[in-house]
Amino acid sequence: MSGSGWLEEVKSGLRDAFNWHGDRTDPDYYADVTGWWRDPALLGHLGPALAHLFEGERPTVVLGPESRGCLLGPLVALRFDVGFVEVRKNRVGSSDSDAWRQRTTPPDYRDRHLTLGFRKSLLQSGDRVLFVDDWMETGGQADGVHLLVEDAGATWIGAATVVDGLRSNQARRRLNVRSLLHVREL
């Protein structure tokens, strides 16, 4: 990828492959991002585009929540040549020797409180963490993961997301959210 226009091409591709289903008064109204995964060129550019948002920040690990953060996170981690940690939802360790860090989130976009976690051994106190997900609506999951990062004594760099739908600038600043698109662009 060379030249300055590639990022605008990625953003255009994201908008073109995106759909809203239903209308805003329909209780089943939802954002459909599945077209993003179908186009191999767009999929191949998502990791570099999200990594570009934090160029120069030098993360040592990328964290992403089930499910779409687990698709995008490894693409970003590869771009930074670092590892990836899957943040699981509502799961626990299988035995006493399987030590996990866990936090319960503030309400998410469906007004659910989730228990987020990962094995303690996967994040160290010296790590510099970049959180990656496809969409941020309330910031609840990112807030929960931010607390897990603090619990580990690691450093939170920020949150890279494809779509920023946050209603609060305070959450955007606190989490250092950077996005490819804002929800109003869709």
Side-chain angles (χ1 to χ4, degrees), residues 101-154:
R101 289 195 191 286
Q102 293 184 310
R103 283 290 189 147
T104 301
T105 67
D108 69 2
Y109 66 100
R110 292 185 184 160
D111 204 31
R112 304 171 300 180
H113 295 270
L114 303 171
T115 300
L116 301 178
F118 50 82
R119 285 187 177 81
K120 285 184 177 182
S121 63
L122 297 176
L123 190 61
Q124 307 303 315
S125 64
D127 279 323
R128 294 176 46 80
V129 177
L130 178 61
F131 176 83
V132 174
D133 207 356
D134 68 325
W135 196 292
M136 291 183 72
E137 189 75 29
T138 67
Q141 289 186 60
D143 274 327
V145 174
H146 189 198
L147 291 172
L148 287 167
V149 168
E150 287 179 350
D151 291 347

Side-chain angles (χ1 to χ4, degrees), residues 31-125:
D32 180 4
V33 300
T34 58
W36 296 346
W37 324 134
R38 181 62 180 101
D39 179 343
L42 181 57
L43 183 62
H45 291 305
L46 279 174
L50 287 165
H52 180 75
L53 298 172
F54 284 87
E55 193 172 333
E57 297 289 337
R58 300 175 329 276
T60 60
V61 65
V62 172
L63 272 63
E66 290 180 307
S67 67
R68 294 186 196 138
C70 288
L71 172 67
L72 293 168
L75 298 174
V76 175
L78 287 171
R79 184 66 178 183
F80 283 117
D81 196 28
V82 300
F84 172 77
V85 173
E86 173 187 22
V87 178
R88 295 192 174 189
K89 298 177 185 177
N90 299 323
R91 301 224 184 135
V92 295
S94 58
S95 66
D96 289 341
S97 64
D98 190 15
W100 281 60
R101 289 195 191 286
Q102 293 184 310
R103 283 290 189 147
T104 301
T105 67
D108 69 2
Y109 66 100
R110 292 185 184 160
D111 204 31
R112 304 171 300 180
H113 295 270
L114 303 171
T115 300
L116 301 178
F118 50 82
R119 285 187 177 81
K120 285 184 177 182
S121 63
L122 297 176
L123 190 61
Q124 307 303 315
S125 64

